[in-house]
Amino acid sequence: MQMLNSTNNINIAPHFNLSEFACPCCNLVMLHPKLLAKLVELRNILERPVYITSGYRCPSYNRKVGGVVNSYHCIGLAADIKVKDINLITLLEICENIDFNGIGFYEKKNFLHLDVRPTKRTRWRE
């Protein structure tokens, strides 16, 4: 996988642009094709926008936001998402059916962490 600079708003899949996954501090992007494919599948099922609130994070930005040291965001395997007008529990159930390997449920901030980690399935709540 290669690093890309996302200053161009390149369409990389139906309903997703490269810039949505960029690190806010340096504009670099690392995005695993499997993560993108599962997010496209989610978007198709929901038939509504899926907002990427955190995609790739460079190590310094990950530290700044309090991310874990070995965050899957830092290697392009994770995204945090929000979807307007859908119950978070319903969204969680749909993501379970898409079979994301990692799912974090952040009810207070109303988002899900989704990842395609190569290890066993993991679930957690904030």
Side-chain angles (χ1 to χ4, degrees), residues 7-24:
T7 51
N8 293 324
N9 206 18
I10 302 165
N11 186 265
I12 54 172
H15 310 291
F16 289 104
N17 288 319
L18 187 63
S19 61
E20 294 178 81
F21 297 90
C23 178

Side-chain angles (χ1 to χ4, degrees), residues 35-89:
L35 177 62
L36 180 60
K38 286 184 178 289
L39 290 169
V40 167
E41 183 180 350
L42 175 63
R43 171 61 174 83
N44 291 339
I45 290 168
L46 295 173
E47 297 181 336
R48 64 181 71 195
V50 172
Y51 298 98
I52 309 301
T53 61
S54 183
Y56 172 72
R57 297 178 193 159
C58 72
S60 70
Y61 185 73
N62 189 59
R63 280 189 302 277
K64 180 180 175 184
V65 298
V68 297
V69 174
N70 295 321
S71 172
Y72 287 106
H73 286 276
C74 296
I75 54 174
L77 295 178
D80 296 340
I81 66 153
K82 286 187 176 188
V83 179
K84 289 181 181 173
D85 303 321
I86 187 165
N87 179 289
L88 201 59
I89 296 286

Side-chain angles (χ1 to χ4, degrees), residues 5 33 125:
N5 186 309
R125 291 181 86 140

